[in-house]
Amino acid sequence: MSLSKIPVSVLIPAKNEEANLPACLASLERAEEIFVVDSHSSDKSIEISQNYGAKVVQFDFNGHWPKKKNWSLENLPFQNEWILIVDCDERITAELWEEIAQAIQNPEYDGYYLNRRVFFLGKWIRHGGKYPDWNLRLFKHKKGRYENLNTEDIPNTGDNEVHEHVVLEGKVGYLKHDMIHEDFRDLYHWLARHNRYSNWEARVYLNLLTNQSDNDTIGASLFGDAVQRKRFLKKIWVRLPFKPFLRFVLFYMIQRGFLDGRAGYIYARLLSQYEYQIGVKLYELRHCGGKLNTKSAPVTTSPSLPQVVKQTVI
């Protein structure tokens, strides 16, 4: 007997995710509506999404704000007030669905943080600061938008928000049950993804070092919520020396990543490498104008252009 649907619309940003989509979509059968916002995948992502009953929308990014998730929040015809944002390598458990069904009935809250269990090489990375990992993913779609960290002009970062957080009008709660984060692709894709992320992080580091305004962001506060505290600590972190070494020590030793065995050690080494990539790309931004083997040039911000995006519902 099929379970009753829950009045929640799901938003899944996707591109060439045929390895992850089946498990992701199968975990979303309780949702009343599912949108897969695709970027012209060349694999079977569209076919898989349609087979699971999802509505597929194509997004064309013109290189300027907004990116995929914010554009979707502004333009998709959601039939429900509540929206759940799920990445292709994430899954919603049956216990979490039952909690969501109850949570959206509470008029006191306009959004909820979900905690993620990150799996790597088949192992739950429970230590190293990876758990808890709170993300504001369930909220009333008219009240939440992703912050703009002024990174959209950086090339090779993709058309989707990277680590931006949702700015929400209203009261936010925390759900008890975890969502699952597990990428079924290989390490090549992990490295390729973090190569893109390091471009984004380098610009975020530069913005923090130049004291760019926190307007239209979640803000940074030592006495705020878990995400605001993390942003506050990041402002200190970007000014520290030897960050690749410190990243390994922090993850593997201080935050006890060694308790996750070989997977924890490999993850710590990769995060150290990732921090080094961010550092050299930050150097490239500051001293080479963002281009290798060029004379030093000041970093400029591209002028704001009107957004022209085509929407195709398949």
Side-chain angles (χ1 to χ4, degrees), residues 54-308:
K55 303 173 183 178
V56 178
V57 176
Q58 291 298 336
F59 173 67
D60 295 303
F61 182 49
N62 69 0
H64 300 279
W65 191 259
K67 287 195 171 185
K68 186 182 288 186
K69 293 174 188 172
N70 256 14
W71 177 86
S72 300
L73 290 170
E74 290 284 350
N75 291 280
L76 295 184
F78 299 115
Q79 69 183 43
N80 297 295
E81 180 182 31
W82 286 87
I83 183 172
L84 175 64
I85 298 180
V86 181
D87 288 337
C88 294
D89 54 7
E90 295 172 341
R91 301 192 295 281
I92 306 299
T93 65
E95 295 81 7
L96 181 53
W97 270 122
E98 291 300 327
E99 190 177 7
I100 289 172
Q102 295 297 318
I104 62 175
Q105 303 300 320
N106 188 339
E108 183 180 358
Y109 294 98
D110 296 296
Y112 293 92
Y113 280 100
L114 275 62
N115 195 8
R116 297 195 308 175
R117 291 190 185 192
V118 175
F119 284 79
F120 179 75
L121 296 178
K123 174 81 174 181
W124 175 18
I125 305 299
R126 191 170 184 173
H127 305 89
K130 293 301 293 182
Y131 187 84
D133 181 20
W134 294 106
N135 291 263
L136 184 55
R137 297 293 193 86
L138 178 67
F139 56 93
K140 296 177 180 178
H141 70 84
K142 292 182 180 180
K143 295 194 173 186
R145 293 294 182 270
Y146 280 85
E147 61 186 348
N148 184 356
L149 297 178
N150 298 303
T151 59
E152 65 274 10
D153 61 320
I154 297 298
N156 302 315
T157 58
D159 62 1
N160 193 29
E161 290 83 353
V162 179
H163 294 142
E164 289 91 344
H165 295 282
V166 173
V167 179
L168 187 75
E169 299 175 15
K171 188 174 181 179
V172 180
Y174 292 79
L175 298 187
K176 181 175 65 175
H177 293 94
D178 297 341
M179 66 190 303
I180 305 299
H181 174 92
E182 184 173 17
D183 195 337
F184 292 124
R185 298 172 300 178
D186 55 25
L187 279 173
Y188 171 89
H189 290 91
W190 193 99
L191 292 166
R193 184 169 72 249
H194 282 76
N195 188 28
R196 295 197 308 273
Y197 289 174
S198 61
N199 282 18
W200 180 90
E201 289 277 13
R203 170 52 67 89
V204 171
Y205 278 28
L206 180 62
N207 291 345
L208 291 173
L209 288 168
T210 54
N211 297 312
Q212 188 174 95
S213 171
D214 280 339
N215 293 338
D216 301 320
T217 75
I218 61 167
S221 173
L222 181 60
F223 304 103
D225 62 28
V227 180
Q228 289 172 321
R229 289 195 299 272
K230 190 174 181 180
R231 183 67 54 81
F232 175 84
L233 294 173
K234 195 165 192 173
K235 285 190 170 187
I236 299 173
W237 173 261
V238 298
R239 290 170 168 83
L240 297 178
F242 311 117
K243 284 189 286 295
F245 172 73
L246 291 176
R247 188 77 179 262
F248 179 86
V249 170
L250 179 65
F251 180 95
Y252 193 69
M253 298 178 183
I254 297 176
Q255 295 177 313
R256 300 182 301 166
F258 62 87
L259 293 177
D260 292 322
R262 187 164 186 82
Y265 174 75
I266 294 172
Y267 203 92
R269 290 292 301 269
L270 288 174
L271 286 181
S272 176
Q273 175 183 313
Y274 176 55
E275 195 66 51
Y276 183 75
Q277 287 180 262
I278 297 169
V280 294
K281 289 178 180 180
L282 174 61
Y283 181 88
E284 184 183 53
L285 279 173
R286 302 184 77 175
H287 299 280
C288 304
K291 294 182 180 179
L292 187 65
N293 296 327
T294 62
K295 294 176 65 176
S296 179
V299 176
T300 59
T301 302
S302 300
S304 214
L305 295 176
Q307 174 78 2
V308 180

Side-chain angles (χ1 to χ4, degrees), residues 15-85:
K15 182 177 181 180
N16 293 332
E17 289 280 1
E18 64 180 7
N20 285 315
L21 274 169
C24 176
L25 289 164
S27 78
L28 303 174
E29 63 177 354
R30 296 292 305 276
E32 198 168 76
E33 178 182 53
I34 302 173
F35 280 100
V36 172
V37 184
D38 186 60
S39 298
H40 302 284
S41 291
S42 57
D43 64 3
K44 296 181 180 179
S45 293
I46 296 174
E47 178 185 344
I48 292 169
S49 300
Q50 292 173 329
N51 288 341
Y52 279 90
K55 303 173 183 178
V56 178
V57 176
Q58 291 298 336
F59 173 67
D60 295 303
F61 182 49
N62 69 0
H64 300 279
W65 191 259
K67 287 195 171 185
K68 186 182 288 186
K69 293 174 188 172
N70 256 14
W71 177 86
S72 300
L73 290 170
E74 290 284 350
N75 291 280
L76 295 184
F78 299 115
Q79 69 183 43
N80 297 295
E81 180 182 31
W82 286 87
I83 183 172
L84 175 64
I85 298 180

